[in-house]
Amino acid sequence: MRSFVLPILGAVGILAATPVMAQQAPIVIKFSHVVATETPKGKGAEKFKELAEARTGGKVKVEVYPNSQLYKDKEELEALQLGAVQMLAPSLAKFGPLGVKEFEVFDLPYIFPNKESLTKVTQGPLGQGLLKKLEPKGIIGLAYWDNGFKIMSANRPLKTPEDFKGLKMRIQSSKVLEAQFRALGALPQVMAFSEVYQAMQTGVVDGSENTPSNMYTQKHHEVQKNITLSDHGYIGYAVIVNKKFWEGLPADVRTALDGAMKDATTYANQIAQKENDDAVTAMKAAGKSEFHTMTDAERAAWRKAMLPVHDDMASRVGKDLIQAFYKETGVAGN
Ligand code: LMR
């Protein structure tokens, strides 16, 4: 009896197990970033997760890790290259230290007169050509995501270029940003984004530049007495993936993910301006810092002080590239 029952049970076991075994484990995309979820980039990442998972019918799982939970600025790029995470959206400033210095063109003060000219660059051949430069680093650039124009904060009013003299200003790791603050007579300090709040609180730095949404979600306004609405430069992102991982995906999955990224990009770029406007409103309402709206004369003085950075950085970033940006944006640097 036993000799009959066991093979039958065994066969039933195999049959029962078959559907389970046929179900493949989902492909996991770890998407790491350094900002809060309630920012243009944070919301864009969540939107991509939602669309990617729905459109691949569960074949792909996107795990989003915000707030430098996994890696800080520089480490996250190394992690992507090693394949420890699959997707990131670093600010464009952060590709310089990787050896793709051309991206620092986006850090030049006053390089974009407005959002429209920026979109012309990122959506046109110039922007796409820059993304291609990442491929030899084992990285594929999928899209540009907007944040917005930067404002300045410190513990003293920043109205004229002279007000920056001697201030320790936190910067992202970019030679262009370093040159920008030197042009103002300030002392630039490279620091990871996640460390800025504490550095402000303890006086390690006196101030910084960032977008309103980044300042607000990091609570910088609680430890900075003065904020100037300067819009003197830009912060945006390239959404990137590990090349080997991306090219190894089944074609149908990659097509679905490309579509999800396209739509997440439209969404992220649509909400960016409002997120930043809302952040200014919220920081003003919090009443901890004094806001300064610049006069035309003050703007002109800042511009005059910072524009020489375009020429000074031409040998690093590329003279032709800067000229191509001028042509596309319709703005001459000086
Ligand atoms: C910063 O480091 O200041 C920002 O680029 C952070 C970010 O990703 O927006």
Side-chain angles (χ1 to χ4, degrees), residues 91-93 103-115 118-119 122-123 144-151 172 177 180 209-211 231-238 269 272 276 325:
S91 68
L92 301 166
F103 274 90
E104 289 179 0
V105 67
F106 287 97
D107 297 335
L108 288 168
Y110 305 105
I111 189 74
F112 299 113
N114 50 41
K115 274 277 163 63
L118 159 78
T119 311
T122 51
Q123 305 312 315
Y144 286 96
W145 284 3
D146 231 357
N147 189 330
F149 290 103
K150 291 181 283 191
I151 59 178
Q172 305 182 68
L177 299 178
Q180 172 194 279
E209 56 169 11
N210 223 310
T211 60
D231 291 340
H232 61 279
Y234 172 73
I235 290 186
Y237 309 106
N269 291 345
N276 282 305
F325 265 56

Short mmCIF file of all heavy atoms in Angstrom, two decimals, residues 91-93 103-115 118-119 122-123 144-151 172 177 180 209-211 231-238 269 272 276 325:
data_model
loop_
_atom_site.label_atom_id
_atom_site.label_comp_id
_atom_site.label_asym_id
_atom_site.label_seq_id
_atom_site.Cartn_x
_atom_site.Cartn_y
_atom_site.Cartn_z
N SER A 91 21.39 65.37 -8.89
CA SER A 91 21.36 66.71 -9.50
C SER A 91 22.50 66.75 -10.52
O SER A 91 23.51 66.07 -10.39
CB SER A 91 21.52 67.79 -8.44
OG SER A 91 22.81 67.74 -7.91
N LEU A 92 22.32 67.60 -11.53
CA LEU A 92 23.26 67.63 -12.65
C LEU A 92 24.66 68.02 -12.20
O LEU A 92 25.65 67.61 -12.80
CB LEU A 92 22.72 68.56 -13.73
CG LEU A 92 21.33 68.12 -14.25
CD1 LEU A 92 20.66 69.23 -15.04
CD2 LEU A 92 21.44 66.85 -15.07
N ALA A 93 24.73 68.76 -11.10
CA ALA A 93 26.02 69.17 -10.54
C ALA A 93 26.87 67.97 -10.15
O ALA A 93 28.09 68.06 -10.09
CB ALA A 93 25.79 70.05 -9.31
N PHE A 103 28.54 68.49 -17.49
CA PHE A 103 27.26 68.71 -16.80
C PHE A 103 27.28 69.95 -15.91
O PHE A 103 26.24 70.46 -15.53
CB PHE A 103 26.87 67.48 -15.99
CG PHE A 103 26.13 66.46 -16.80
CD1 PHE A 103 26.82 65.46 -17.47
CD2 PHE A 103 24.77 66.51 -16.93
CE1 PHE A 103 26.16 64.52 -18.25
CE2 PHE A 103 24.07 65.59 -17.70
CZ PHE A 103 24.78 64.59 -18.37
N GLU A 104 28.48 70.39 -15.54
CA GLU A 104 28.57 71.57 -14.68
C GLU A 104 28.12 72.85 -15.41
O GLU A 104 27.95 73.88 -14.78
CB GLU A 104 29.99 71.72 -14.12
CG GLU A 104 30.29 70.65 -13.07
CD GLU A 104 31.69 70.71 -12.49
OE1 GLU A 104 32.47 71.60 -12.91
OE2 GLU A 104 32.01 69.88 -11.64
N VAL A 105 27.92 72.74 -16.72
CA VAL A 105 27.39 73.89 -17.46
C VAL A 105 26.03 74.31 -16.87
O VAL A 105 25.69 75.49 -16.84
CB VAL A 105 27.28 73.56 -18.97
CG1 VAL A 105 26.23 72.50 -19.25
CG2 VAL A 105 26.96 74.81 -19.78
N PHE A 106 25.28 73.33 -16.37
CA PHE A 106 23.98 73.63 -15.78
C PHE A 106 24.10 74.45 -14.49
O PHE A 106 23.13 75.04 -14.03
CB PHE A 106 23.22 72.33 -15.46
CG PHE A 106 22.69 71.62 -16.68
CD1 PHE A 106 23.38 70.56 -17.25
CD2 PHE A 106 21.48 72.01 -17.24
CE1 PHE A 106 22.89 69.89 -18.37
CE2 PHE A 106 20.97 71.35 -18.35
CZ PHE A 106 21.68 70.30 -18.92
N ASP A 107 25.30 74.42 -13.89
CA ASP A 107 25.51 75.15 -12.62
C ASP A 107 25.89 76.61 -12.85
O ASP A 107 25.94 77.39 -11.88
CB ASP A 107 26.65 74.50 -11.81
CG ASP A 107 26.33 73.09 -11.41
OD1 ASP A 107 25.12 72.77 -11.31
OD2 ASP A 107 27.27 72.30 -11.20
N LEU A 108 26.20 76.98 -14.08
CA LEU A 108 26.62 78.36 -14.32
C LEU A 108 25.52 79.33 -13.89
O LEU A 108 24.35 79.13 -14.26
CB LEU A 108 26.95 78.58 -15.80
CG LEU A 108 28.24 77.93 -16.31
CD1 LEU A 108 28.30 77.98 -17.84
CD2 LEU A 108 29.47 78.59 -15.70
N PRO A 109 25.88 80.37 -13.13
CA PRO A 109 24.85 81.31 -12.71
C PRO A 109 24.21 82.00 -13.91
O PRO A 109 24.91 82.31 -14.88
CB PRO A 109 25.63 82.31 -11.84
CG PRO A 109 27.08 82.10 -12.15
CD PRO A 109 27.21 80.69 -12.62
N TYR A 110 22.93 82.17 -13.86
CA TYR A 110 22.16 82.89 -14.90
C TYR A 110 22.28 82.26 -16.29
O TYR A 110 22.14 82.96 -17.28
CB TYR A 110 22.58 84.37 -14.95
CG TYR A 110 22.46 85.04 -13.62
CD1 TYR A 110 23.59 85.33 -12.85
CD2 TYR A 110 21.21 85.39 -13.10
CE1 TYR A 110 23.48 85.95 -11.61
CE2 TYR A 110 21.10 86.00 -11.85
CZ TYR A 110 22.24 86.27 -11.12
OH TYR A 110 22.12 86.86 -9.89
N ILE A 111 22.52 80.96 -16.36
CA ILE A 111 22.65 80.34 -17.68
C ILE A 111 21.28 80.19 -18.36
O ILE A 111 21.17 80.20 -19.58
CB ILE A 111 23.41 78.98 -17.60
CG1 ILE A 111 23.74 78.42 -18.98
CG2 ILE A 111 22.67 77.94 -16.79
CD1 ILE A 111 24.85 79.12 -19.69
N PHE A 112 20.23 80.06 -17.54
CA PHE A 112 18.87 79.96 -18.12
C PHE A 112 18.05 81.18 -17.72
O PHE A 112 17.85 81.41 -16.52
CB PHE A 112 18.16 78.70 -17.60
CG PHE A 112 18.84 77.43 -17.97
CD1 PHE A 112 19.41 76.63 -17.00
CD2 PHE A 112 18.91 77.03 -19.29
CE1 PHE A 112 20.05 75.45 -17.33
CE2 PHE A 112 19.55 75.85 -19.64
CZ PHE A 112 20.12 75.05 -18.65
N PRO A 113 17.56 81.93 -18.69
CA PRO A 113 16.74 83.09 -18.34
C PRO A 113 15.36 82.70 -17.82
O PRO A 113 14.74 83.45 -17.08
CB PRO A 113 16.61 83.85 -19.66
CG PRO A 113 16.87 82.84 -20.73
CD PRO A 113 17.77 81.81 -20.14
N ASN A 114 14.90 81.51 -18.17
CA ASN A 114 13.56 81.07 -17.75
C ASN A 114 13.41 79.56 -18.00
O ASN A 114 14.29 78.92 -18.57
CB ASN A 114 12.47 81.83 -18.53
CG ASN A 114 12.75 81.78 -20.03
OD1 ASN A 114 13.16 80.76 -20.57
ND2 ASN A 114 12.57 82.92 -20.69
N LYS A 115 12.28 79.03 -17.57
CA LYS A 115 12.01 77.59 -17.69
C LYS A 115 11.96 77.13 -19.15
O LYS A 115 12.40 76.03 -19.48
CB LYS A 115 10.66 77.27 -17.04
CG LYS A 115 10.73 77.01 -15.56
CD LYS A 115 11.15 75.58 -15.26
CE LYS A 115 11.63 75.40 -13.85
NZ LYS A 115 10.58 75.67 -12.85
N LEU A 118 15.27 76.43 -20.62
CA LEU A 118 15.82 75.24 -20.00
C LEU A 118 15.26 73.99 -20.68
O LEU A 118 15.99 73.06 -21.02
CB LEU A 118 15.44 75.26 -18.52
CG LEU A 118 15.47 73.95 -17.80
CD1 LEU A 118 16.89 73.61 -17.48
CD2 LEU A 118 14.64 74.02 -16.54
N THR A 119 13.95 73.99 -20.90
CA THR A 119 13.31 72.84 -21.54
C THR A 119 13.84 72.64 -22.95
O THR A 119 14.03 71.51 -23.40
CB THR A 119 11.78 73.04 -21.57
OG1 THR A 119 11.38 73.42 -20.26
CG2 THR A 119 11.05 71.79 -21.98
N THR A 122 17.13 70.76 -22.36
CA THR A 122 17.06 69.38 -21.87
C THR A 122 16.31 68.46 -22.84
O THR A 122 16.66 67.29 -22.97
CB THR A 122 16.40 69.31 -20.48
OG1 THR A 122 15.15 70.02 -20.51
CG2 THR A 122 17.29 69.91 -19.42
N GLN A 123 15.31 68.97 -23.51
CA GLN A 123 14.55 68.11 -24.43
C GLN A 123 15.15 68.08 -25.83
O GLN A 123 14.72 67.30 -26.67
CB GLN A 123 13.08 68.55 -24.50
CG GLN A 123 12.37 68.64 -23.16
CD GLN A 123 12.58 67.41 -22.28
OE1 GLN A 123 12.49 66.28 -22.74
NE2 GLN A 123 12.90 67.62 -21.02
N TYR A 144 15.47 63.98 -18.04
CA TYR A 144 15.77 65.13 -17.17
C TYR A 144 14.53 65.44 -16.35
O TYR A 144 13.42 65.51 -16.90
CB TYR A 144 16.11 66.36 -18.01
CG TYR A 144 17.48 66.32 -18.66
CD1 TYR A 144 17.63 65.90 -19.98
CD2 TYR A 144 18.61 66.72 -17.96
CE1 TYR A 144 18.87 65.88 -20.59
CE2 TYR A 144 19.87 66.69 -18.56
CZ TYR A 144 19.99 66.27 -19.87
OH TYR A 144 21.23 66.24 -20.46
N TRP A 145 14.74 65.63 -15.07
CA TRP A 145 13.65 66.07 -14.19
C TRP A 145 14.00 67.44 -13.64
O TRP A 145 15.13 67.70 -13.22
CB TRP A 145 13.43 65.10 -13.02
CG TRP A 145 12.73 63.84 -13.39
CD1 TRP A 145 12.33 63.44 -14.63
CD2 TRP A 145 12.36 62.77 -12.49
NE1 TRP A 145 11.73 62.20 -14.56
CE2 TRP A 145 11.73 61.77 -13.27
CE3 TRP A 145 12.51 62.57 -11.11
CZ2 TRP A 145 11.26 60.58 -12.71
CZ3 TRP A 145 12.03 61.40 -10.55
CH2 TRP A 145 11.40 60.42 -11.35
N ASP A 146 13.00 68.26 -13.59
CA ASP A 146 13.17 69.62 -13.09
C ASP A 146 13.13 69.68 -11.57
O ASP A 146 12.38 68.94 -10.96
CB ASP A 146 11.95 70.41 -13.58
CG ASP A 146 12.36 71.68 -14.26
OD1 ASP A 146 13.55 71.96 -14.29
OD2 ASP A 146 11.45 72.37 -14.75
N ASN A 147 13.92 70.58 -11.00
CA ASN A 147 13.55 71.07 -9.67
C ASN A 147 13.19 72.52 -9.88
O ASN A 147 12.05 72.82 -10.18
CB ASN A 147 14.65 70.83 -8.64
CG ASN A 147 14.15 71.13 -7.23
OD1 ASN A 147 13.29 71.98 -7.05
ND2 ASN A 147 14.68 70.45 -6.23
N GLY A 148 14.21 73.40 -9.83
CA GLY A 148 13.85 74.79 -10.10
C GLY A 148 15.02 75.72 -9.87
O GLY A 148 16.16 75.28 -9.72
N PHE A 149 14.72 76.99 -9.82
CA PHE A 149 15.76 78.00 -9.63
C PHE A 149 16.11 78.12 -8.14
O PHE A 149 15.27 77.92 -7.28
CB PHE A 149 15.33 79.32 -10.25
CG PHE A 149 15.30 79.25 -11.75
CD1 PHE A 149 14.11 79.12 -12.45
CD2 PHE A 149 16.49 79.24 -12.48
CE1 PHE A 149 14.09 79.01 -13.84
CE2 PHE A 149 16.49 79.13 -13.87
CZ PHE A 149 15.29 79.01 -14.54
N LYS A 150 17.39 78.44 -7.92
CA LYS A 150 17.90 78.46 -6.55
C LYS A 150 17.70 79.82 -5.87
O LYS A 150 17.72 80.85 -6.54
CB LYS A 150 19.41 78.16 -6.56
CG LYS A 150 19.76 76.75 -6.94
CD LYS A 150 21.26 76.49 -6.92
CE LYS A 150 21.96 77.06 -8.13
NZ LYS A 150 23.36 76.61 -8.26
N ILE A 151 17.57 79.76 -4.56
CA ILE A 151 17.55 80.97 -3.75
C ILE A 151 18.70 80.87 -2.74
O ILE A 151 19.34 79.81 -2.65
CB ILE A 151 16.17 81.15 -3.06
CG1 ILE A 151 15.83 79.96 -2.16
CG2 ILE A 151 15.08 81.32 -4.12
CD1 ILE A 151 14.48 80.11 -1.42
N GLN A 172 27.20 72.04 -3.45
CA GLN A 172 27.35 70.69 -3.98
C GLN A 172 28.76 70.61 -4.56
O GLN A 172 29.37 71.63 -4.84
CB GLN A 172 26.34 70.44 -5.09
CG GLN A 172 24.91 70.69 -4.71
CD GLN A 172 24.00 70.36 -5.87
OE1 GLN A 172 23.84 69.19 -6.25
NE2 GLN A 172 23.39 71.37 -6.44
N LEU A 177 30.20 75.87 -9.03
CA LEU A 177 29.58 76.48 -7.84
C LEU A 177 30.64 77.06 -6.92
O LEU A 177 30.44 78.09 -6.28
CB LEU A 177 28.70 75.45 -7.12
CG LEU A 177 27.55 74.90 -7.97
CD1 LEU A 177 26.76 73.85 -7.19
CD2 LEU A 177 26.63 76.03 -8.44
N GLN A 180 31.57 80.29 -8.43
CA GLN A 180 30.48 81.26 -8.24
C GLN A 180 30.60 81.94 -6.86
O GLN A 180 30.51 83.16 -6.74
CB GLN A 180 29.14 80.54 -8.34
CG GLN A 180 27.95 81.41 -7.97
CD GLN A 180 26.70 80.59 -7.77
OE1 GLN A 180 26.03 80.23 -8.73
NE2 GLN A 180 26.37 80.27 -6.53
N GLU A 209 22.86 77.78 -0.96
CA GLU A 209 21.90 78.02 -2.05
C GLU A 209 21.17 76.71 -2.27
O GLU A 209 21.76 75.64 -2.13
CB GLU A 209 22.63 78.44 -3.32
CG GLU A 209 23.66 77.40 -3.75
CD GLU A 209 24.23 77.63 -5.14
OE1 GLU A 209 24.01 78.70 -5.72
OE2 GLU A 209 24.90 76.71 -5.64
N ASN A 210 19.90 76.79 -2.58
CA ASN A 210 19.17 75.60 -2.98
C ASN A 210 17.81 76.02 -3.51
O ASN A 210 17.50 77.21 -3.52
CB ASN A 210 19.01 74.60 -1.81
CG ASN A 210 19.26 73.17 -2.28
OD1 ASN A 210 18.68 72.74 -3.27
ND2 ASN A 210 20.13 72.46 -1.59
N THR A 211 17.03 75.05 -3.92
CA THR A 211 15.67 75.39 -4.36
C THR A 211 14.79 75.52 -3.13
O THR A 211 15.07 74.92 -2.08
CB THR A 211 15.11 74.28 -5.26
OG1 THR A 211 15.07 73.07 -4.51
CG2 THR A 211 15.94 74.10 -6.51
N ASP A 231 16.86 83.44 -7.51
CA ASP A 231 16.76 82.69 -8.79
C ASP A 231 18.03 82.84 -9.63
O ASP A 231 17.97 82.98 -10.85
CB ASP A 231 15.57 83.21 -9.62
CG ASP A 231 14.23 82.86 -9.00
OD1 ASP A 231 14.19 81.94 -8.17
OD2 ASP A 231 13.23 83.53 -9.34
N HIS A 232 19.16 82.74 -9.00
CA HIS A 232 20.43 83.03 -9.71
C HIS A 232 21.01 81.83 -10.45
O HIS A 232 21.98 81.96 -11.19
CB HIS A 232 21.47 83.52 -8.68
CG HIS A 232 21.75 82.48 -7.64
ND1 HIS A 232 20.92 82.28 -6.56
CD2 HIS A 232 22.73 81.56 -7.53
CE1 HIS A 232 21.39 81.29 -5.81
NE2 HIS A 232 22.49 80.83 -6.39
N GLY A 233 20.44 80.66 -10.22
CA GLY A 233 20.95 79.46 -10.88
C GLY A 233 19.91 78.37 -10.81
O GLY A 233 18.80 78.59 -10.30
N TYR A 234 20.28 77.21 -11.29
CA TYR A 234 19.28 76.17 -11.50
C TYR A 234 19.70 74.83 -10.88
O TYR A 234 20.88 74.50 -10.86
CB TYR A 234 19.09 75.99 -13.02
CG TYR A 234 18.23 74.83 -13.41
CD1 TYR A 234 16.85 74.89 -13.22
CD2 TYR A 234 18.78 73.67 -13.96
CE1 TYR A 234 16.04 73.81 -13.56
CE2 TYR A 234 17.97 72.59 -14.30
CZ TYR A 234 16.61 72.67 -14.10
OH TYR A 234 15.82 71.61 -14.43
N ILE A 235 18.71 74.08 -10.39
CA ILE A 235 18.96 72.67 -10.00
C ILE A 235 17.96 71.78 -10.73
O ILE A 235 16.75 71.98 -10.66
CB ILE A 235 18.82 72.44 -8.47
CG1 ILE A 235 19.96 73.11 -7.72
CG2 ILE A 235 18.82 70.93 -8.16
CD1 ILE A 235 20.00 72.83 -6.21
N GLY A 236 18.51 70.81 -11.45
CA GLY A 236 17.68 69.80 -12.10
C GLY A 236 18.40 68.46 -11.99
O GLY A 236 19.52 68.39 -11.46
N TYR A 237 17.76 67.43 -12.51
CA TYR A 237 18.27 66.07 -12.33
C TYR A 237 18.35 65.30 -13.64
O TYR A 237 17.59 65.57 -14.56
CB TYR A 237 17.33 65.29 -11.41
CG TYR A 237 17.03 66.02 -10.13
CD1 TYR A 237 15.79 66.63 -9.92
CD2 TYR A 237 18.00 66.13 -9.14
CE1 TYR A 237 15.53 67.32 -8.75
CE2 TYR A 237 17.74 66.81 -7.96
CZ TYR A 237 16.51 67.40 -7.77
OH TYR A 237 16.26 68.09 -6.62
N ALA A 238 19.24 64.32 -13.67
CA ALA A 238 19.18 63.31 -14.72
C ALA A 238 18.78 62.00 -14.06
O ALA A 238 19.41 61.58 -13.08
CB ALA A 238 20.53 63.16 -15.41
N ASN A 269 7.88 67.15 -14.06
CA ASN A 269 8.17 68.48 -14.59
C ASN A 269 6.96 69.42 -14.50
O ASN A 269 7.13 70.64 -14.45
CB ASN A 269 8.69 68.37 -16.02
CG ASN A 269 10.08 67.73 -16.06
OD1 ASN A 269 10.75 67.64 -15.03
ND2 ASN A 269 10.51 67.29 -17.21
N ALA A 272 6.86 70.65 -10.56
CA ALA A 272 8.05 71.25 -9.94
C ALA A 272 7.85 72.71 -9.53
O ALA A 272 8.16 73.10 -8.39
CB ALA A 272 9.25 71.11 -10.86
N ASN A 276 7.80 74.32 -5.61
CA ASN A 276 8.71 75.37 -5.14
C ASN A 276 7.95 76.61 -4.69
O ASN A 276 8.31 77.22 -3.67
CB ASN A 276 9.74 75.68 -6.21
CG ASN A 276 10.83 74.62 -6.25
OD1 ASN A 276 11.47 74.35 -5.23
ND2 ASN A 276 11.03 73.98 -7.37
N PHE A 325 24.84 76.56 -25.50
CA PHE A 325 23.77 76.88 -24.53
C PHE A 325 23.24 78.30 -24.79
O PHE A 325 22.04 78.52 -24.77
CB PHE A 325 24.27 76.76 -23.09
CG PHE A 325 23.99 75.42 -22.45
CD1 PHE A 325 24.44 74.25 -23.05
CD2 PHE A 325 23.27 75.31 -21.27
CE1 PHE A 325 24.18 73.00 -22.48
CE2 PHE A 325 23.01 74.07 -20.69
CZ PHE A 325 23.47 72.92 -21.29
#
